[in-house]
Amino acid sequence: MKKLILIFLCCSFMVFTANAQRYITKTGHIKFYSDSPLEKIEAHNRQVKAIIDVATGDFIFTVLMKSFEFPKALMQEHFNENYVESDKFPNATFLGKVTNIKDLNVAKEGTYEVTVEGKLTIHGVTRFVKEQGTFEVQSNKLNGKAKFNLFLADYGIKVPGAVTNNISKTIEITVEVALDKFN
Amino acid sequence: MINLTRKMKLKFIVLLSIFCLSAVFEVRSQDLIGLLEQGEKPVTDYTSATFKTTRIVIGQSIEIPHQGDLLFLITHHFGALNSGYENLYGLKQATIRLGLEYGLTKWFGFGVGLNTYKNTWDGFVKAKILRQSTGAKKMPVTLDLFANTAIYTTKWENPDRPNYFTSRMTYTFELMVARKFGNALSLQVTGSMVHKNLVPTAADKNNIFTVGGGGRVKVSERVSINAEYYHLFADQVKSTKAYDSFSLGVDIETGGHIFQIFLTNSSGEIEQYFLTETAGKWSNGEIFLGFNISRIFTVYTPKHRSQ
């Protein structure tokens, strides 16, 4: 019994100490792209915050919704006011892990395929997601890239009948984060 | 503990371990989030879309077009609803204003318009002096200043006497204070002074003061109900009968257009006319059906629009 407790204590101690390897950014880029018959809408957020702990695989994003910039001011206003309701839900977050973090060798430059899974919260709705991406290792840098689709309806975002030809039900999300080693 | 069997103890330990481990994970992500937020300066969050467009119903709202946006506004008031079948209840007559407005900066806009009411040309400027905000800078209200000049170009009423071009000119100055109370409700108070270079009789005042305001209640994301009222203080307009202006409307927003459909007792479309020359009276059925259509064109996109 004592042995068990000892093992447990050791484990938790290891978890606490093995966190020196962190990479962080506050200027990550997320592109939002809606392709519909009448209109193609693209918006960019270049103030995406992300952090990864390469020892544990923990990977976190926070995205301030009001930082998305649209080509038309009115689109931006409608995005914040009517669709994602930024006053009520100012941030989108992702709390998850790189499941195959062991395959990532930060000491060796190169491109690594990774699987990321966890809880994605947009518009106050949390869903479990699993997506593929890549990490490119450079000296003291990790460049993460991923591209995936979101269904607006999954996150309780309604598109009214009048604009169904202007806004796609599926949004393509492109994530590009250049993470710097954090000491 | 003494009474616990070995099995129960084991169970307890396992449960405790799971609990601790999940707590550890929580602490870890909290820790990481903490690092993300480190050194963040509080930002100012400016309130947007207090009203859907630059008019509450017929009067100015505190909104100006977004920087780089050109707004084409068609304002249309039909004739009086009580004018009978021969006039198709007002549908046969109309006063119209065609206007253009432009957002030069995020706090300054200007516009021009052509009115069929007395063949009037008008031009205006509007500036946001204070912007409602939360966060680093806190401001409870938005405050705007507005000034316009209008020139009516109909024939002189008394061509026999000396008439000056300046006699055609009238001006409005307004101070507007508005607050967006959450997503659903916005209210505005407007104080106005209309100056007329020429008034019909000596008893009429050249400077005419009104106070009023309006608001909107959102009934869905894209539809709101708006109302507006302006009180004309007594003993300023003597030679003609002028009533307080009251308008009630619905805003419908569809992408780049905003439709406003309303009932009003004013037939003029600009401030000097509906504040001081409202001849209709709601209780007499002198009500005009009207609509505004705004269409927004993006002329240029500023580099950094957020805030």
Side-chain angles (χ1 to χ4, degrees):
Chain A
M1 184 61 62
K2 273 190 188 138
K3 235 190 226 167
L4 204 69
I5 296 174
L6 210 66
I7 290 169
F8 167 67
L9 281 177
C10 280
C11 282
S12 27
F13 185 69
M14 273 164 67
V15 167
F16 273 116
T17 49
N19 57 9
Q21 296 272 301
R22 284 163 173 167
Y23 291 78
I24 192 167
T25 184
K26 292 184 178 185
T27 54
H29 175 205
I30 287 182
K31 186 177 103 178
F32 157 123
Y33 181 62
S34 155
D35 189 351
S36 64
L38 283 183
E39 205 164 8
K40 297 189 186 345
I41 301 172
E42 195 177 299
H44 297 270
N45 189 332
R46 293 176 202 279
Q47 293 170 48
V48 174
K49 291 187 276 186
I51 188 165
I52 185 169
D53 186 327
V54 291
T56 61
D58 292 347
F59 199 11
I60 293 174
F61 277 87
T62 70
V63 183
L64 187 65
M65 298 311 269
K66 283 199 174 172
S67 301
F68 274 99
E69 294 194 355
F70 287 74
K72 292 182 181 174
L74 203 66
M75 283 178 181
Q76 194 163 322
E77 185 177 304
H78 291 167
F79 172 78
N80 287 310
E81 276 284 304
N82 301 343
Y83 295 96
V84 297
E85 300 178 86
S86 300
D87 282 333
K88 252 191 261 174
F89 312 108
N91 289 297
T93 57
F94 173 77
L95 292 175
K97 286 176 93 65
V98 176
T99 53
N100 59 337
I101 194 71
K102 284 188 186 66
D103 301 341
L104 181 74
N105 181 1
V106 288
K108 192 169 166 242
E109 294 199 357
T111 304
Y112 300 82
E113 300 278 334
V114 289
T115 303
V116 179
E117 62 176 42
K119 293 182 286 183
L120 178 61
T121 308
I122 303 171
H123 191 234
V125 179
T126 303
R127 290 183 71 91
F128 183 83
V129 294
K130 188 173 180 181
E131 301 295 345
Q132 307 294 321
T134 59
F135 269 121
E136 188 194 346
V137 175
Q138 290 176 341
S139 57
N140 292 329
K141 246 185 182 293
L142 263 185
N143 294 326
K145 274 184 193 163
K147 194 183 244 186
F148 56 94
N149 289 320
L150 287 181
F151 288 97
L152 290 180
D154 283 353
Y155 296 90
I157 298 166
K158 289 183 223 91
V159 177
V163 292
T164 42
N165 285 331
N166 301 72
I167 300 171
S168 167
K169 288 182 178 65
T170 317
I171 303 296
E172 184 190 274
I173 305 289
T174 310
V175 184
E176 283 178 3
V177 283
L179 299 144
D180 295 308
K181 195 163 187 180
F182 182 78
N183 299 309
Chain B
M1 275 294 202
I2 298 157
N3 293 336
L4 293 177
T5 62
R6 208 184 142 75
K7 215 175 167 187
M8 279 175 82
K9 266 191 198 168
L10 200 68
K11 224 180 192 174
F12 176 74
I13 296 278
V14 169
L15 275 174
L16 187 75
S17 320
I18 291 172
F19 175 75
C20 286
L21 272 173
S22 57
V24 163
F25 182 74
E26 269 315 297
V27 168
R28 256 167 38 197
S29 31
Q30 281 309 314
D31 202 20
L32 289 180
I33 290 171
L35 284 178
L36 274 185
E37 304 299 330
Q38 214 171 51
E40 289 289 292
K41 290 190 198 94
V43 290
T44 305
D45 188 10
Y46 290 101
T47 304
S48 64
T50 305
F51 294 98
K52 282 195 197 298
T53 184
T54 58
R55 302 295 191 283
I56 302 178
V57 183
I58 61 172
Q60 297 286 338
S61 77
I62 50 102
E63 298 295 343
I64 55 179
H66 290 282
Q67 185 177 5
D69 276 4
L70 180 72
L71 186 146
F72 178 45
L73 177 66
I74 304 166
T75 308
H76 192 114
H77 296 193
F78 285 108
L81 288 182
N82 68 349
S83 59
Y85 177 77
E86 57 273 31
N87 289 311
L88 287 176
Y89 306 100
L91 291 182
K92 276 183 145 177
Q93 302 132 13
T95 58
I96 298 165
R97 178 179 180 272
L98 300 176
L100 286 172
E101 293 173 29
Y102 184 68
L104 193 64
T105 72
K106 54 194 156 197
W107 60 272
F108 183 81
F110 62 92
V112 290
L114 171 61
N115 302 262
T116 61
Y117 187 93
K118 293 196 202 171
N119 290 8
T120 306
W121 293 86
D122 69 89
F124 70 84
V125 291
K126 198 167 164 185
K128 273 191 188 177
I129 307 300
L130 301 173
R131 287 200 289 166
Q132 189 181 339
S133 62
T134 56
K137 278 190 244 164
K138 290 183 182 67
M139 180 55 63
V141 294
T142 299
L143 187 148
D144 275 29
L145 294 178
F146 166 88
N148 82 0
T149 302
I151 301 163
Y152 66 89
T153 59
T154 41
K155 283 188 182 137
W156 294 111
E157 277 177 36
N158 298 308
D160 304 332
R161 70 168 195 195
N163 284 301
Y164 305 102
F165 179 75
T166 51
S167 303
R168 297 184 175 279
M169 296 172 86
T170 57
Y171 311 88
T172 307
F173 302 95
E174 286 190 335
L175 188 148
M176 299 171 242
V177 179
R179 180 170 165 82
K180 187 179 187 180
F181 297 89
N183 211 24
L185 176 72
S186 301
L187 294 175
Q188 178 176 317
V189 176
T190 308
S192 314
M193 187 194 89
V194 173
H195 177 85
K196 295 183 174 180
N197 281 348
L198 180 70
V199 286
T201 67
D204 293 305
K205 296 272 194 298
N206 288 91
N207 289 333
I208 302 158
F209 293 88
T210 68
V211 68
R216 72 119 192 245
V217 178
K218 259 179 146 177
V219 291
S220 83
E221 287 305 339
R222 286 157 196 89
V223 179
S224 72
I225 295 178
N226 301 15
E228 201 175 32
Y229 175 76
Y230 295 97
H231 177 65
L232 172 65
F233 292 109
D235 299 326
Q236 301 187 98
V237 181
K238 301 289 269 182
S239 62
T240 54
K241 194 73 203 140
Y243 296 99
D244 291 351
S245 171
F246 177 70
S247 313
L248 185 66
V250 180
D251 276 15
I252 303 162
E253 173 192 301
T254 65
H257 292 90
I258 293 148
F259 296 101
Q260 297 178 293
I261 299 161
F262 53 83
L263 293 170
T264 179
N265 58 333
S266 302
S267 55
E269 276 96 1
I270 54 173
E271 279 58 31
Q272 24 277 79
Y273 298 150
F274 66 75
L275 293 175
T276 70
E277 297 174 20
T278 290
K281 203 175 173 192
W282 273 75
S283 55
N284 295 346
E286 285 152 357
I287 305 165
F288 307 93
L289 176 69
F291 58 84
N292 300 337
I293 299 173
S294 7
R295 169 74 210 180
I296 289 150
F297 301 94
T298 301
V299 176
Y300 89 101
T301 305
K303 228 174 189 173
H304 289 293
R305 184 157 29 224
S306 48
Q307 301 306 322

